[in-house]
Amino acid sequence: MKVKIDIVSGFLGAGKTTLIKKLLKEKLDSEKIAIIENEFGEIGIDGTLLKRAGLEIKEINSGCICCSLAGDFGESVREIIDKFSPQRIIVEPSGVAKLSELIRACRENNLRDLVEVNMIVTIVDVLKFDLYLNNFGEFFEDQIKNAKVILLSRTDVVDEEKISSVIKSIRNLNFKYDIVTTPWAQLTGEQIIGLGEGHIEHIHGENCNHEEKHGHDHDHDHDHDHDADEIFKTWSMETAKIFDKIELKNMLKRLNDADSFGMIVRGKGILQSERGKWLQFDYVPGEIQIRTTSANYIGKLSITGKNINENKLFELFSV
């Protein structure tokens, strides 16, 4: 029997890791699962968080997964199957990966007899939709065009007019597959997987925007106009510095200053705080989340953006 491959795509900070954790907790806890985690940078953050759940994680760092598919990805899939014999492999590509190329790689001859592409989910942050579409259209649009389920995030903090506007824009790119607008807290993992695998046609009683499907899997040839490595850059560091929560929040607010730091589209990290506490932070433009977390062996952070100023970033987090 072939191993299922589920792809959870989405631009930087959309909520991919959060969704995977929800599915694992609410529906996939009885299955033997492996995860391929691709972080755009040398230091992995999300893989650290997922490993705490006792899962088998294979990380592909130092670049976008779609730029190294011929090597690392295929080898990682075969290695995972040989060593762990999972029932399902969940792939979380970098937020700037091209979904079309990842789907194509899963269907290459060297994997075709081993795996079947199962769920193809793209998460779209409604708050950042216009920003990302206008600035990173090539990567952002590819993830929407090639999804079989488009799961909107942050719908609970915007009005109906904004959601309708995003849906209209998405339909210009992908008019055949489901758009789910219901806040995630109101959905179960079983419902999301049922929709993703085609077991249910829509989420009964929920605000799921559904249109007729035509069985088309979007496996087109796409021009690879730009590699993510050409557009985006990630600056990462490990640090033993102690961070105060308020101080850290003020540091992260400064990342909005594009003139000083470049256009920062994603920041995340696990850092040591006072009295032995640890803080996990997530940054996307205009939004900062900081929460307590369990101890890590050392503090680590990762900042991704366009035209970033590494010297300024080092100065910000080191001084």
Side-chain angles (χ1 to χ4, degrees):
M1 182 179 294
K2 294 182 180 180
V3 178
K4 294 179 180 179
I5 285 193
D6 295 332
I7 304 172
V8 179
S9 179
F11 206 71
L12 296 158
K16 298 185 295 297
T17 302
T18 299
L19 177 65
I20 291 173
K21 290 168 73 175
K22 178 180 177 69
L23 299 182
L24 293 170
K25 179 181 179 181
E26 297 181 7
K27 175 60 178 174
L28 301 178
D29 56 316
S30 62
E31 292 189 24
K32 192 171 184 182
I33 305 291
I35 296 177
I36 295 180
E37 170 71 33
N38 171 221
E39 297 225 39
F40 194 78
E42 296 179 356
I43 296 177
I45 306 294
D46 292 341
T48 299
L49 299 175
L50 290 168
K51 284 175 183 176
R52 290 173 178 170
L55 298 163
E56 297 295 343
I57 309 290
K58 176 68 176 180
E59 294 183 272
I60 302 176
N61 294 335
S62 299
C64 169
I65 195 171
C66 68
C67 303
S68 57
L69 286 177
D72 286 354
F73 179 73
E75 292 174 7
S76 295
V77 171
R78 299 184 75 90
E79 178 185 344
I80 285 172
I81 293 174
D82 290 343
K83 287 186 176 181
F84 307 111
S85 301
Q87 297 168 271
R88 184 187 301 257
I89 298 174
I90 300 175
V91 182
E92 181 184 354
S94 158
V96 294
K98 285 195 173 179
L99 181 54
S100 59
E101 296 188 8
L102 181 53
I103 294 170
R104 187 184 304 118
C106 291
R107 293 172 176 161
E108 289 291 339
N109 291 334
N110 62 334
L111 293 179
R112 189 173 297 170
D113 295 334
L114 296 176
V115 303
E116 61 175 351
V117 178
N118 185 43
M119 295 196 301
I120 306 175
V121 177
T122 290
I123 304 171
V124 173
D125 182 344
V126 294
L127 285 175
K128 304 297 185 297
F129 181 84
D130 294 326
L131 173 68
Y132 292 158
L133 186 64
N134 292 333
N135 288 279
F136 309 108
E138 179 184 345
F139 301 93
F140 194 54
E141 290 180 10
D142 185 88
Q143 294 180 2
I144 293 172
K145 288 177 180 178
N146 293 280
K148 288 189 175 180
V149 173
I150 299 166
L151 187 62
L152 302 189
S153 63
R154 315 279 173 78
T155 56
D156 55 334
V157 296
V158 298
D159 58 28
E160 186 176 339
E161 183 179 354
K162 175 62 176 177
I163 296 173
S164 297
S165 174
V166 170
I167 289 173
K168 183 177 180 180
S169 295
I170 289 175
R171 283 302 180 213
N172 289 330
L173 300 169
N174 185 332
F175 61 90
K176 297 178 180 178
Y177 290 99
D178 289 290
I179 301 174
V180 181
T181 63
T182 307
W184 295 8
Q186 299 176 29
L187 299 175
T188 66
E190 184 174 7
Q191 286 177 309
I192 295 171
I193 290 174
L195 189 65
E197 294 186 335
H199 302 318
I200 57 176
E201 287 297 309
H202 59 83
I203 298 174
H204 179 67
E206 303 290 355
N207 185 15
C208 175
N209 187 291
H210 175 79
E211 297 192 9
E212 181 183 359
K213 298 178 181 179
H214 301 279
H216 183 57
D217 61 9
H218 290 290
D219 192 21
H220 298 304
D221 288 331
H222 292 270
D223 293 331
H224 191 177
D225 297 324
H226 296 95
D227 285 341
D229 293 331
E230 298 172 355
I231 306 297
F232 302 95
K233 192 169 185 178
T234 290
W235 173 82
S236 304
M237 70 176 294
E238 293 183 327
T239 177
K241 180 179 176 179
I242 305 297
F243 289 82
D244 173 76
K245 184 175 182 179
I246 296 177
E247 174 193 23
L248 177 60
K249 186 172 184 178
N250 288 332
M251 289 178 177
L252 296 173
K253 286 180 179 178
R254 293 183 60 188
L255 296 179
N256 290 316
D257 182 0
D259 290 336
S260 296
F261 299 101
M263 185 175 184
I264 307 300
V265 295
R266 183 71 168 109
K268 52 190 172 182
I270 302 172
L271 300 169
Q272 190 170 358
S273 186
E274 56 187 353
R275 293 186 293 276
K277 295 181 180 179
W278 288 75
L279 301 173
Q280 176 192 337
F281 77 83
D282 289 280
Y283 168 91
V284 291
E287 186 174 353
I288 296 168
Q289 293 183 357
I290 301 175
R291 62 187 72 86
T292 58
T293 188
S294 54
N296 199 38
Y297 66 90
I298 191 172
K300 54 173 67 174
L301 59 92
S302 180
I303 307 293
T304 300
K306 184 178 179 182
N307 300 320
I308 64 175
N309 188 324
E310 296 187 3
N311 292 331
K312 284 286 187 181
L313 288 171
F314 181 80
E315 180 180 332
L316 175 65
F317 289 101
S318 299
V319 176

